[in-house]
Amino acid sequence: MTYTFGNKQAAMQQTAPVLISSHVGLRGVAALLVVFYHNYFLPNHLPFEDWNKFFARGYLMVDLFFILSGFIMLHVYKEIRLNQDSYYDFFVKRLARIYPLHVVSLLGLLCAKILLFILYWIDGKSAEAFWRVPGTWEAFVAQLILIHSFLPTEPGWNIPSWSISAEMFAYLLFPLVAVLLRRYVRTTSALMLLFSVSYYGVAASTTGSLDVTHGSAPARCLAGFLAGMLINHYARQMLPSNQPLILSFVQCLTIVFICILLSVEVNDIFVIPFFIVLVATTMNDYGIISNIMSRKIFQFLGSGPIDVIGSM
């Protein structure tokens, strides 16, 4: 079934994508911290990672990813139309962005598993138990078709790729939400806000942790993604866009609070409002943090391989 608002030509029109250097840099820093987070659990992780809880709580950078993703999607596809051509074009571009590297990583794990199985067999060891680790064949298929973030248990294989699975779910919903937000602003905004606040509220009052990689992981992604869309829709009207001193003060204070909250054992949800403020205050590329994030090194991190690897 095809839903078309306007003619085909109008349906394919999008707002011209304008690069937000600050957000590219933030994405790069977040990706690097996710890499450090995964490295933290290796036997030979770096000494400075033991200084405090900061790197051990790097999983929260994925929530910053989700907020940035929702913001950027609406920034680039603000005029997306809910018809077959527009939806197909959008989804193929999103899939092309993340799926090839995901498949290569998954196949690499498969090849490594087969090689180790052969070595076990040559050495005369029992390989039956080994063959079931790090995941079943059902889990392999689930990861291949990106539905593993919905599974009730951790599927093994390329475990960090749960975020890709969850984000693909958000991408599937994005065109519908974007169109509804444009046509029924108040109602849609209220429902988006209700979902995000409800998810974070439940997490805060139960486990207090956002370290969820399966089961309700798509809801975790969607909560941040919708928050990012709301920032894009409302913050431009509410925040000063050309007052770098004010923005610099807020940005620096926000970074300080984020670092403090990541370094101590507090409810994960407390970090989310500061992520939201950081994304909102850097969206116009004004302020000291925006200037820093616009440097070449951070632009490279945010647009290079580490960005995709870190988000997996």
Side-chain angles (χ1 to χ4, degrees):
M1 183 178 295
T2 301
Y3 298 89
T4 304
F5 300 137
N7 58 38
K8 180 177 179 179
Q9 182 177 1
M12 294 299 294
Q13 290 179 348
Q14 301 168 1
T15 52
V18 178
L19 181 69
I20 303 176
S21 298
S22 306
H23 288 181
V24 175
L26 286 174
R27 193 167 63 229
V29 172
L32 187 62
L33 290 175
V34 171
V35 171
F36 278 127
Y37 164 70
H38 290 298
N39 182 70
Y40 179 83
F41 296 99
L42 297 178
N44 298 314
H45 62 264
L46 300 172
F48 64 81
E49 293 180 289
D50 286 325
W51 289 353
N52 55 43
K53 296 291 183 180
F54 184 87
F55 293 102
R57 303 186 69 207
Y59 59 87
L60 285 170
M61 291 299 110
V62 179
D63 296 281
L64 177 57
F65 266 117
F66 294 150
I67 295 171
L68 283 168
S69 183
F71 183 98
I72 293 170
M73 287 300 100
L74 194 59
H75 175 69
V76 176
Y77 295 95
K78 188 178 291 288
E79 300 300 324
I80 193 171
R81 305 292 178 178
L82 198 61
N83 69 21
Q84 184 174 343
D85 292 332
S86 184
Y87 188 88
Y88 177 81
D89 180 68
F90 165 78
F91 193 70
V92 166
K93 287 181 178 178
R94 292 296 92 206
L95 198 63
R97 161 86 174 143
I98 58 178
Y99 193 66
L101 182 57
H102 168 64
V103 171
V104 169
S105 301
L106 195 57
L107 293 179
L109 287 173
L110 177 61
C111 291
K113 186 172 185 176
I114 292 174
L115 177 60
L116 289 175
F117 174 77
I118 293 173
L119 293 175
Y120 264 55
W121 180 74
I122 293 175
D123 199 37
K125 297 179 180 179
S126 174
E128 181 180 355
F130 168 78
W131 190 246
R132 295 195 295 269
V133 179
T136 64
W137 289 114
E138 291 82 0
F140 181 88
V141 173
Q143 289 206 3
L144 188 63
I145 60 177
L146 292 175
I147 63 170
H148 51 295
S149 63
F150 291 87
L151 299 180
T153 57
E154 192 173 86
W157 295 95
N158 187 11
I159 297 174
S161 68
W162 71 268
S163 62
I164 293 178
S165 170
E167 192 148 12
M168 290 306 296
F169 172 67
Y171 290 160
L172 284 170
L173 295 179
F174 170 76
L176 174 62
V177 176
V179 169
L180 291 176
L181 182 61
R182 189 168 63 243
R183 292 172 63 88
Y184 309 103
V185 178
R186 292 183 179 179
T187 302
T188 306
S189 298
L191 291 175
M192 293 166 66
L193 183 62
L194 177 63
F195 181 89
S196 294
V197 171
S198 296
Y199 177 81
Y200 290 132
V202 170
S205 61
T206 53
T207 63
S209 173
L210 288 175
D211 191 13
V212 180
T213 60
H214 52 275
S216 63
R220 173 189 176 186
C221 171
L222 194 58
F225 193 90
L226 294 178
M229 291 181 67
L230 288 172
I231 296 169
N232 182 289
H233 189 78
Y234 286 103
R236 293 189 186 280
Q237 308 167 24
M238 301 171 60
L239 295 177
S241 60
N242 58 351
Q243 299 183 27
L245 288 178
I246 296 176
L247 291 174
S248 294
F249 175 76
V250 176
Q251 290 169 9
C252 290
L253 193 63
T254 301
I255 291 292
V256 168
F257 275 109
I258 289 174
C259 291
I260 292 174
L261 290 172
L262 291 178
S263 300
V264 297
E265 294 185 5
V266 296
N267 197 304
D268 284 352
I269 313 304
F270 292 160
V271 184
I272 298 300
F274 293 99
F275 282 165
I276 291 173
V277 172
L278 183 61
V279 172
T281 56
T282 56
M283 67 183 179
N284 291 313
D285 281 337
Y286 284 98
I288 186 171
I289 299 301
S290 291
N291 291 336
I292 294 173
M293 290 296 104
S294 297
R295 300 294 176 86
K296 288 184 179 180
I297 180 62
F298 296 112
Q299 295 299 293
F300 171 76
L301 290 175
S303 57
I306 194 171
D307 168 36
V308 181
I309 295 172
S311 65
M312 288 175 61

